[in-house]
Amino acid sequence: LTRNQMTVTYIWTSLNLYSAFGSAQSENNPFDPNVTGIQEVIHISSLCSRAKFDRTDIPFNERAILGDATETGLIRFAYQNVNDYDGLINSYPKVFEIPFNSETKWALTIHQKKHDKGDLTLYIKGAPERVLRLCSTLLSDNDAIPLTDEHKKKYDEMYEFMASKGHRVLAFARLLLPSDKYPENYEFKKESKNYPTGDYCFVGLCSLEDPPKHGVREAIGSCRRAGIRVMMVTGDHPLTAESIGRKINLMISDTKPLIAKKTGRPIESIHESEYNAIVIHGEQIDSLSENDWDTVFSKDEIIFAR
């Protein structure tokens, strides 16, 4: 449905929102790649990644990036905001990696990257709700401060802001490994999970836009006129999915939560007959009864997200 060309749009770090487009600057926070949080997002995008190049002996702009659209978008963004991309990669060798998988929904790497407490730095990126669950502190300028409910509320607002624009949202976190526990030659093992599995420091959120493909909206219109019901199944967040669904006219009418919001009524009071569009979160699927499935498929506009 989308072009598979991801471009970084917003970064939220140290409780500040930055627009990655110079032209769309929010007045109070001009985009500056040297801000600690943004710099960490750039480093995590570059280092905690499985994307490779077809060749490295030619200028960056001429290389083909071999990787999924999200990682490709992050690497292009990183390249545009560092002086020497290849130098950055070579300076901080990867010593351990757990690739992204659909169970955990995050990827983790550990690098030889010195800091005040030791020689190794752990980076993680992935689905925001999964990464946030693993964090106990938040990056604020260059300090890790305890993560509070107030911070989580701010995070929810930002996640909603980014996802409701139809952007894909990723979260980034880090942990500076102390050398008394993890010396430079420490041998990490997947099987024995002898790496830190939580208490990370939340670095921030980053959103990427993947515009709809040309002709998709028309194709959906043609199907609809032919009596075909088109449904969307996606790994994206429900808000992202719904926003893209609306951009391509796959979803036109209001969902139950939308009607509740517009009419100011409690969501429980909205009757089945009042809405004709539904977004189902992947985590709900296992608990749906036969009756629930009948309700889902009685709707004209259906999206399965996450």
Side-chain angles (χ1 to χ4, degrees), residues 8 16 33 44 69 112 132 154 185 200 206 208-209 239 245 270:
V8 171
N16 291 315
I44 298 171
Q112 282 176 3
L132 187 73
K154 203 73 188 125
N185 56 359
Y200 302 144
C206 171
L208 299 102
E209 184 174 23
L239 286 171
I270 309 293

Side-chain angles (χ1 to χ4, degrees), residues 124-180:
I124 180 169
K125 77 172 198 294
E129 59 273 29
R130 297 297 185 90
V131 172
L132 187 73
R133 269 179 223 165
L134 302 172
C135 295
S136 57
T137 59
L138 173 97
L139 185 70
S140 178
D141 299 322
N142 209 8
D143 299 319
I145 58 175
L147 190 60
T148 63
D149 289 342
E150 194 51 42
H151 295 145
K152 287 180 180 167
K153 214 175 117 211
K154 203 73 188 125
Y155 154 94
D156 285 333
E157 283 168 22
M158 278 305 133
Y159 195 172
E160 193 163 317
F161 164 76
M162 292 171 170
S164 59
K165 288 184 171 300
H167 299 180
R168 176 169 295 173
V169 189
L170 289 179
F172 297 78
R174 74 171 189 190
L175 191 61
L176 306 176
L177 303 183
S179 53
D180 54 350

Side-chain angles (χ1 to χ4, degrees), residues 183-238:
E184 196 174 357
N185 56 359
Y186 185 90
E187 215 175 301
F188 295 98
K189 290 197 173 69
K190 268 182 215 171
E191 298 69 42
S192 50
K193 285 201 174 171
N194 65 348
Y195 52 89
T197 53
D199 282 334
Y200 302 144
C201 173
F202 191 84
V203 171
L205 293 171
C206 171
S207 64
L208 299 102
E209 184 174 23
D210 185 11
K213 266 187 199 148
H214 296 303
V216 165
R217 185 189 291 173
E218 295 74 7
I220 288 171
S222 308
C223 288
R224 195 170 269 135
R225 284 193 298 278
I228 298 167
R229 186 163 41 154
V230 183
M231 305 176 198
M232 183 197 290
V233 181
T234 173
D236 278 331
H237 184 279

Side-chain angles (χ1 to χ4, degrees), residues 239-287:
L239 286 171
T240 305
E242 184 179 338
S243 171
I244 290 170
R246 292 191 183 283
K247 285 180 187 173
I248 59 177
N249 284 356
L250 183 132
M251 193 163 269
I252 300 164
S253 62
D254 292 345
T255 57
K256 191 175 180 175
L258 215 53
I259 291 174
K261 201 171 168 182
K262 282 184 179 174
T263 57
R265 289 156 56 199
I267 194 156
E268 302 75 51
S269 72
I270 309 293
H271 194 265
E272 285 309 329
S273 60
E274 291 182 66
Y275 66 96
N276 204 16
I278 191 165
V279 182
I280 302 286
H281 191 298
E283 286 177 3
Q284 297 169 260
I285 286 179
D286 286 343
S287 58

Side-chain angles (χ1 to χ4, degrees), residues 113-129:
K113 188 174 189 235
K114 283 189 181 357
H115 47 86
D116 296 345
K117 299 191 190 79
D119 303 298
L120 300 172
T121 302
L122 177 151
Y123 282 146
I124 180 169
K125 77 172 198 294
E129 59 273 29

